[in-house]
Amino acid sequence: MKFFADTAEISDIKELAATGLLDGVTTNPSLIAKSGRDFKELTKEICGIVKGPVSAEVVALDHEGMMREAEILRKIADNVCIKVPMTIDGLKTCKALTNDGSMVNVTLCFSANQALLAAKAGATFVSPFVGRHDDNGFDGMELIGDIRLIYDNYDFRTEILVASVRHGIHVLQAAKIGADVMTAPPAVIKGLVKHVLTDKGIEGFLADWAKTGQSI
Ligand code: G3P
């Protein structure tokens, strides 16, 4: 399963990229607003740090407007992936852009039927928001399982990008279902390395090593 960082913070992206674990980045208008940076400049900087897809979201709601914005965004770097909302205009834009060789991430997906539409529109990625789905009394991971089943039934190539990931259990469940990608805040990705027995083990080994009086 590929790991994308769901952030627009350069320091976090650099730190994760240095681990070799980072396969891409996802941003959205809220994350850009939080960064306080210029959208296009920031996107260019992120694309220079990470080789994989970097999602940059359009804000127009009509097809023509989305195409205009996508034209500007896709010129920023070869690894820009245009993010469009799950609407008729978004799907129309997805079809036009992927036919033209661009990567497209169809975002704000909350049902398996929506994911079916994204695949039929030729999306590179579909982003089901599991955390927000859970928040509203639904089962986010059941949604991922349904989408996996449907995509496998018809051999759709659209990658399932599990988004709105809130904790390690989401990551584990997404991997068990066979999602292609998950995107999570940097803190969630870094948290995956933690285990109380790992910390305890290091502590014990170091205490015993100190008794030897040796150094390496
Ligand atoms: O990138 C979109 C998505 O991951 C948002 O997550 O935590 O705001 O629901 P969240």
Side-chain angles (χ1 to χ4, degrees):
M1 185 166 70
K2 284 177 262 189
F3 278 22
F4 289 1
D6 199 24
T7 185
E9 293 304 322
I10 291 292
S11 55
D12 286 332
I13 293 168
K14 279 187 176 160
E15 189 187 2
L16 285 170
T19 66
L21 295 171
L22 199 59
D23 302 297
V25 170
T26 50
T27 67
N28 62 41
S30 304
L31 293 170
I32 299 298
K34 198 172 153 203
S35 77
R37 297 268 317 265
D38 175 83
F39 181 31
K40 286 171 263 180
E41 271 176 32
L42 181 57
T43 303
K44 193 178 170 88
E45 195 173 343
I46 298 172
C47 288
I49 300 166
V50 181
K51 283 200 175 67
V54 174
S55 287
E57 189 160 343
V58 296
V59 288
L61 293 177
D62 62 302
H63 171 63
E64 289 72 25
M66 287 183 195
M67 288 301 291
R68 260 196 313 276
E69 291 176 357
E71 278 311 316
I72 294 167
L73 295 175
R74 67 178 175 175
K75 282 196 187 102
I76 292 176
D78 288 344
N79 54 335
V80 166
C81 174
I82 307 298
K83 211 175 184 186
V84 299
M86 176 62 76
T87 60
I88 292 293
D89 285 70
L91 293 171
K92 199 171 156 189
T93 304
C94 173
K95 185 58 116 186
L97 291 172
T98 51
N99 278 350
D100 201 25
S102 288
M103 290 187 285
V104 176
N105 177 357
V106 179
T107 190
L108 290 163
C109 170
F110 291 94
S111 80
N113 276 339
Q114 289 180 324
L116 179 56
L117 295 180
K120 285 179 69 66
T124 317
F125 303 101
V126 67
S127 290
F129 279 28
V130 292
R132 293 190 195 185
H133 208 54
D134 292 352
D135 293 345
N136 284 278
F138 300 98
D139 183 343
M141 281 302 153
E142 192 181 337
L143 173 61
I144 302 304
D146 286 348
I147 300 172
R148 181 75 284 156
L149 178 71
I150 291 167
Y151 282 12
D152 289 349
N153 279 348
Y154 297 99
D155 204 19
F156 282 124
R157 296 302 159 95
T158 299
E159 295 192 32
I160 304 171
L161 196 173
V162 179
S164 188
V165 163
R166 302 273 167 78
H167 44 68
I169 304 292
H170 276 153
V171 179
L172 177 65
Q173 290 172 327
K176 285 168 88 170
I177 291 168
D180 303 283
V181 192
M182 74 89 201
T183 189
V188 172
I189 298 177
K190 285 189 267 177
L192 298 176
V193 80
K194 297 298 286 179
H195 196 288
V196 65
L197 293 179
T198 305
D199 295 343
K200 207 173 157 195
I202 291 172
E203 201 183 308
F205 287 155
L206 289 185
D208 289 339
W209 177 250
K211 288 177 208 156
T212 71
Q214 298 182 52
S215 62
I216 299 175

